[in-house]
Each structure stands twice: as structure tokens, then as C-alpha cells.
């Protein structure tokens, strides 16, 4: 009889009151809050823990504390509740963890863009403004170096984004392909670009920045008819016949086509100097190269290096002589020193080591002059001008400054985001700035001196793996009389963040 009685109650909708009685609530002085919480309680699909067990202060506790992750559920901060992730029909579930994270990132990006358009700027440091700096400078409380550094911090914080018009002799070329890589020469007069082609592969071009000014926002882009169907892993400028006369490219091999390192003369591209003649054009067949670097030291003249799978290959362009150094891991980042013939390498294993290219390659690891380690794969290294310090970034999002004399980390720059991408670092010692673009498509600028994060710039385009911006920063964009600021290439657009 009891069994039939309870079944009858279930049919008449008394199941909830029979199997899930409402918990006892402590009397509250706020009747409106209590009634609202009682109405919301049956709608909560999952008990979030002690903080959501009917306590009127549970909502405030949830917002102020770290919400635990539950397998199969996600937490909506706006609605202050958990939702179950259920598979949909045909194995399609529009509600995934990735889509939720993307939605949150996109909302944050749009909010930051709106704040920038409204010019809601905050000073990088408390009490830092131009009048205060000038007053301290006049009173002799600031040295000229400190004054210039702090002025650059103020200007970086006030940079405004403006779109650049790209002109090309071939009107069908400009603005049709997505930017993948941009690399400026030493004088920041030209930018070599690698663009993705719609039908696959990459196309090369050179942008002349001489037309970039305070009033005019136009640049000339020159390209050639050459393109490759292979992936470009690394790019750097090379000084073979004169400063920045060539561009060194590392191309990945596909199918039966082996990888190679190509040296392209900049004169192959149409330039403003019609008298220029094409220079040396050569290609070296190598296995997959992850990185490359050109040597500017006279003791290793006309040499470049490529970081391969478990080895380093140093090649003389003129004689063709090669020297191989075996490593225990893939070499993802390289840079030559200028004062000494030393080559610095960053590996997938996290190891950073240097090689004296004057010595003969020997068996074992005894030829490694300096060795220290990151906890993750090293994606970029940059030597400072005095060559006593080296900046390194890894796939854990850590950026560290190492003292090469003691092989110890002296500073760490926090905020960078990276998980698997090979992303470059940009060091500008004259301005005292460090710039890096994260895998989250945010461009961050730090102070070199104290590792203070000065500014975080959101991308003008929605974040995605194929839309990570490529940037160039200089106080002389376009040459010695150029304009200071940041160039950002993303998708098919080129932007200039100029100083006020």
C-alpha cells in the first residue's frame, strides 16, 4: 500500500517535495533576499559546495573566491551558477569549454578596445605625469637617462591606434593577403613581410616606411612574383654586400621537397633606387630549420646559422663551408653576438647555451661555453647591447633576463601568455622597453629597468591562432627622421600606434 501511495504522489507532481525536501534555512532579517534565494535554489543544477548551500551570502562568496572547476560543468559568472556540458545531436555540442573561454576573451577584448577609443588612460605608475617629471628634472632630482625613460613610458601609455593605407604598384596585391611575419631592418626604414596566400603557401614583400609621418599614414609595398608553397619558419635580415642587403629565410620541406635556407637580395623587390642591381641569390638545402641568425662579427664574416633538429649548422655563404654542432634538442631560437664570435641558442628542452664559432666542432658537449635552463621550450632570445645580459622567453609564458657572467636570472617579466607558439621578443634599450605579443593576441610592453608592465594592447581583430599580431617598435620608424611608435600587422591590416 505504501508503495502505491508514493507512486501516486509522483504522478501528481509531488516528487520534488518527497525526495528532495527543502533544507532548513536560518532566519534572515532580509525577507526579500531570502525569498529570492529560495526561488533560485531548485534551478541550480549542481551543488557548488558549502558556499552555495543556501547561505544568503553565497553569491558574494562565490564572486570573491575562486570558483572550483567541476568535471562536466562550467560556471557562468554572470548568472552565478553551474551548467552541465551535455553532448548534442550528431556529436555536436555548441557549449564547449573552448567556446566559453573564447566568448569571455572576446568580451574582454571589446571592452578594452572601447576604453581605448574613449581615451580612458591610466598612468603607468602612481603620480607619474609630464608636469611632475619636468619639475623633478628642473630640480635635479632625475638624471637625463631616468627622465628620458619615464617620458617614453608616458608616451607609450598614450599611443593611439590608426590604420595605415598600403599602396602598391600592383593594386590587386595590397591588402589581399594576411600578414604572417614582419621584420624591420636595423634602421627601421624597411619591413620585410611574409604573407599567407589564399590558395596556400607564402608570398614575400618589402614595405618602405619613408612615407610614414605624423600627418600621412601611407606606405609603399613592393613585392615580386616569387612565392613558396612551403611554411616559413624563421626570417632575419642579412648584411652580405652592405648593411641589410639580403633577407635570410628558413623554409620547411614538404613531401619530396627538402627544406632549405634561402638568401634573397632585397634588390629583387622593386625599390625606389632603380639603379640597384640584383645581388647574390642562393639557396642551401638543409633539413627542417626552426631558426636562423646572421653573424655581424668580422671574425665570422659572411656566415649564418640555422637551428635544426638536434644540431646547429653554421654556413659560410661565400665559400660554402659548413660546421656542425650536435645538440640534445631542437634549436628554436638563435642570435649572434657582435663583439665576440659567439652564437647563443635556445632549445626545445629549455636549455640555453653559447658556441664559439671559431673553434672546431668536437665530440661531446665541451664546446658549450655557457649553459643555463628554462623550465619550458625557449622560443626567443635577445642579447642586450653590452652583451652581458640575455633576454629569453619560453612556452610557459615566462620572460627572464639572465646575467651571462653568472648564469643567473636577475629579472622576470610577468604577464606574457604562451603555450606552444614560437613568438619573438622585441628589446628597445634606447627607450628602455620590452615588447612581446602573446598567444592570446595581446601586445604587452614592459619597462626594461624594473619589469613593470606598462601597457596591454588588445588586437583590433578577434583572437585566433591564425590572427596573432606581428609587431615592430622603434622611436624612428622610417629612418633617422622618422616617427616613433608601434607597427602592428594583423590579418590584412597594418596599424600605427603613434606617440602623441
Amino acid at each position: 500500500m505504501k508503495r502505491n501511495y508514493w507512486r501516486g504522489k509522483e504522478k501528481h507532481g509531488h516528487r520534488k517535495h518527497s525526495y528532495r525536501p527543502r533544507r532548513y534555512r536560518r532566519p534572515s532579517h532580509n525577507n526579500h533576499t531570502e525569498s529570492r534565494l529560495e526561488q533560485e535554489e531548485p534551478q541550480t543544477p549542481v551543488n557548488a559546495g558549502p558556499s552555495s548551500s543556501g547561505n544568503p551570502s553565497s553569491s558574494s562568496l562565490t564572486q570573491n573566491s575562486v570558483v572550483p572547476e567541476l568535471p562536466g560543468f562550467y560556471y557562468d559568472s554572470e548568472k552565478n551558477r553551474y551548467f552541465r556540458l551535455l553532448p548534442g545531436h550528431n556529436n555536436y555540442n555548441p557549449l564547449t569549454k573552448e567556446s566559453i573561454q573564447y566568448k569571455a576573451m572576446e568580451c574582454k577584448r571589446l571592452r578594452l578596445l572601447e576604453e581605448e577609443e574613449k581615451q580612458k588612460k591610466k598612468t603607468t605608475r602612481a603620480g607619474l605625469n609630464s608636469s611632475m617629471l619636468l619639475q623633478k628634472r628642473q630640480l635635479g632630482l632625475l638624471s637625463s637617462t631616468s627622465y628620458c625613460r619615464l617620458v617614453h613610458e608616458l608616451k607609450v601609455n598614450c599611443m593611439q591606434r590608426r590604420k595605415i593605407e598600403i599602396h602598391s604598384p600592383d593594386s590587386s596585391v595590397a591588402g589581399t593577403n594576411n600578414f604572417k611575419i614582419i621584420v624591420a631592418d636595423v634602421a627601421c626604414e624597411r619591413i620585410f613581410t611574409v604573407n599567407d596566400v589564399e590558395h596556400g603557401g607564402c608570398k614575400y614583400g618589402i614595405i618602405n616606411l619613408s612615407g610614414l609621418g605624423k600627418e600621412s599614414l601611407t606606405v609603399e609595398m613592393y613585392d615580386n612574383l616569387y612565392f613558396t608553397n612551403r611554411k616559413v619558419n624563421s626570417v632575419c635580415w642579412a648584411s652580405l654586400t652592405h648593411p641589410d642587403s639580403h633577407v635570410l629565410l628558413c623554409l620547411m620541406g614538404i613531401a619530396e621537397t627538402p627544406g632549405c635556407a634561402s638568401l634573397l637580395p632585397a634588390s629583387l623587390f622593386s625599390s625606389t633606387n632603380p639603379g640597384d642591381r640584383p645581388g647574390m641569390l642562393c639557396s642551401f638545402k638543409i633539413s627542417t630549420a626552426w631558426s636562423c641568425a646572421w653573424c655581424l662579427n668580422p671574425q665570422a664574416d659572411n656566415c649564418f646559422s640555422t637551428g635544426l633538429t638536434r644540431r646547429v649548422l653554421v654556413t659560410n655563404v661565400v665559400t660554402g663551408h659548413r660546421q656542425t654542432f650536435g645538440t640534445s634538442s631542437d634549436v628554436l631560437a638563435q642570435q649572434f653576438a657582435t663583439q665576440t664570435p659567439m652564437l647563443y641558442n635556445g632549445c626545445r628542452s629549455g636549455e640555453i647555451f653559447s658556441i664559439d664559432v671559431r673553434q672546431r666542432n668536437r665530440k661531446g658537449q665541451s664546446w658549450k661555453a655557457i649553459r643555463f635552463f628554462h623550465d619550458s621550450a625557449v622560443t626567443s632570445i635577445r642579447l642586450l647591447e653590452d652583451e652581458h645580459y640575455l633576454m629569453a622567453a619560453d612556452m610557459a609564458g615566462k620572460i627572464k633576463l639572465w646575467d651571462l657572467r653568472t648564469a643567473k636570472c636577475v629579472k622576470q617579466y610577468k604577464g606574457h601568455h604562451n603555450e606552444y607558439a614560437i613568438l619573438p621578443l622585441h628589446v628597445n634599450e634606447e627607450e628602455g622597453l620590452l615588447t612581446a605579443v602573446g598567444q592570446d593576441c595581446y601586445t604587452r610592453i614592459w619597462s626594461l629597468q624594473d619589469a613593470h608592465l606598462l601597457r596591454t594592447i588588445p588586437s583590433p581583430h578577434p583572437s585566433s591562432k591564425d590572427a596573432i599580431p606581428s609587431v615592430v617598435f622603434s622611436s624612428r620608424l622610417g629612418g633617422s627622421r622618422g616617427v616613433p611608435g608601434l607597427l602592428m600587422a594583423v590579418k590584412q591590416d597594418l596599424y600605427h600606434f603613434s606617440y602623441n
Side-chain angles (χ1 to χ4, degrees), residues 379-426:
T379 60
S380 180
I381 56 175
R382 285 293 177 267
L383 276 170
L384 271 61
E385 291 181 359
D386 59 6
E387 299 186 0
H388 294 320
Y389 297 92
L390 181 140
M391 193 84 65
D394 59 27
M395 288 188 183
K398 295 183 179 179
I399 301 177
K400 297 182 179 181
L401 181 65
W402 293 86
D403 190 334
L404 298 177
R405 296 163 294 186
T406 60
K408 293 183 178 180
C409 176
V410 293
K411 289 178 186 176
Q412 186 167 343
Y413 300 79
K414 298 181 180 180
H416 185 56
H417 178 77
N418 190 15
E419 294 178 355
Y420 57 81
I422 300 179
L423 303 172
L425 292 174
H426 307 274

Side-chain angles (χ1 to χ4, degrees), residues 6-24:
W6 284 114
R7 286 183 178 177
K9 289 293 184 179
E10 291 178 10
K11 294 180 180 179
H12 287 83
H14 296 284
R15 178 182 179 182
K16 180 189 299 184
H17 301 287
S18 301
Y19 287 103
R20 191 178 177 182
R22 184 167 297 171
R23 295 184 180 181
Y24 170 76

Side-chain angles (χ1 to χ4, degrees), residues 50-336:
S51 62
S52 60
S53 59
N55 191 346
S57 61
S58 61
S59 61
S60 60
L61 288 175
T62 304
Q63 293 177 358
N64 297 331
S65 60
V66 178
V67 180
E69 292 187 5
L70 300 181
F73 296 87
Y74 89 98
Y75 178 78
D76 193 321
S77 58
E78 296 180 357
K79 297 183 179 180
N80 192 21
R81 55 183 287 192
Y82 284 88
F83 288 91
R84 186 186 297 272
L85 295 174
L86 295 176
H89 298 287
N90 298 326
N91 294 328
Y92 172 72
N93 182 13
L95 195 60
T96 61
K97 186 176 181 180
E98 290 76 13
S99 63
I100 296 167
Q101 292 177 349
Y102 178 79
K103 180 181 177 181
M105 291 176 59
E106 186 64 13
C107 292
K108 178 182 177 182
R109 185 187 70 86
L110 294 176
R111 186 181 71 252
L112 292 177
L113 285 177
E114 184 178 356
E115 291 177 358
E116 285 198 345
E117 292 178 358
K118 294 180 179 179
Q119 297 183 356
K120 291 183 179 180
K121 298 296 180 182
K122 297 181 180 179
T123 57
T124 57
R125 304 174 192 271
L128 180 63
N129 54 64
S130 56
S131 58
M132 182 271 291
L133 288 180
L134 183 58
Q135 184 179 5
K136 285 189 174 182
R137 176 61 177 151
Q138 292 174 348
L139 294 175
L141 300 178
L142 282 177
S143 63
S144 58
T145 303
S146 299
Y147 175 76
C148 293
R149 177 179 56 82
L150 293 175
V151 167
H152 277 292
E153 289 188 9
L154 283 177
K155 291 184 176 181
V156 162
N157 192 56
C158 298
M159 290 190 306
Q160 297 296 316
R161 183 184 77 249
R162 295 188 296 174
K163 191 174 181 179
I164 296 177
E165 294 183 6
I166 303 175
H167 294 170
S168 174
D170 185 359
S171 59
S172 63
V173 172
T176 58
N177 301 317
N178 293 335
F179 286 101
K180 182 180 179 181
I181 302 173
I182 62 172
V183 182
D185 59 8
V186 175
C188 283
E189 296 177 346
R190 299 166 298 169
I191 289 181
F192 185 80
T193 68
V194 178
N195 300 70
D196 288 331
V197 183
E198 295 180 357
H199 56 270
C202 297
K203 194 172 185 179
Y204 316 132
I206 286 183
I207 294 180
N208 189 352
L209 300 179
S210 60
L212 187 63
K214 295 182 180 180
E215 303 297 334
S216 174
L217 285 177
T218 59
V219 294
E220 295 290 337
M221 182 173 183
Y222 306 94
D223 62 357
N224 58 11
L225 299 178
Y226 299 100
F227 72 93
T228 178
N229 58 352
R230 291 178 286 180
K231 179 182 177 182
V232 179
N233 281 343
S234 183
V235 179
C236 72
W237 285 85
S239 301
L240 184 59
T241 57
H242 56 274
D244 298 328
S245 60
H246 290 67
V247 179
L248 181 63
L249 299 169
C250 288
L251 304 178
M252 179 178 288
I254 57 172
E256 298 180 356
T257 305
C260 69
S262 297
L263 199 62
L264 302 178
S267 55
L268 273 181
F269 304 86
S270 302
S271 65
T272 54
N273 299 323
D276 289 349
R277 296 181 179 179
M280 180 185 295
L281 173 63
C282 52
S283 179
F284 301 89
K285 293 182 180 181
I286 55 175
S287 57
T288 300
W290 301 103
S291 58
C292 63
W294 182 266
C295 184
L296 295 175
N297 188 277
Q299 296 180 351
D301 197 18
N302 299 327
C303 287
F304 71 90
S305 175
T306 48
L308 312 179
T309 302
R310 296 191 176 185
R311 61 192 178 109
V312 173
L313 187 63
V314 179
T315 306
N316 188 299
V317 176
V318 178
T319 63
H321 178 264
R322 291 186 175 184
Q323 194 170 3
T324 304
F325 299 90
T327 63
S328 58
S329 180
D330 303 339
V331 181
L332 304 181
Q334 291 184 311
Q335 186 180 3
F336 277 98

Side-chain angles (χ1 to χ4, degrees), residues 16 22 25 32-44:
K16 180 189 299 184
R22 184 167 297 171
R25 291 186 178 277
H32 175 71
T33 304
E34 183 178 0
S35 62
R36 179 176 60 84
L37 291 172
E38 290 178 356
Q39 294 175 1
E40 291 180 354
E41 183 182 3
Q43 299 175 1
T44 305

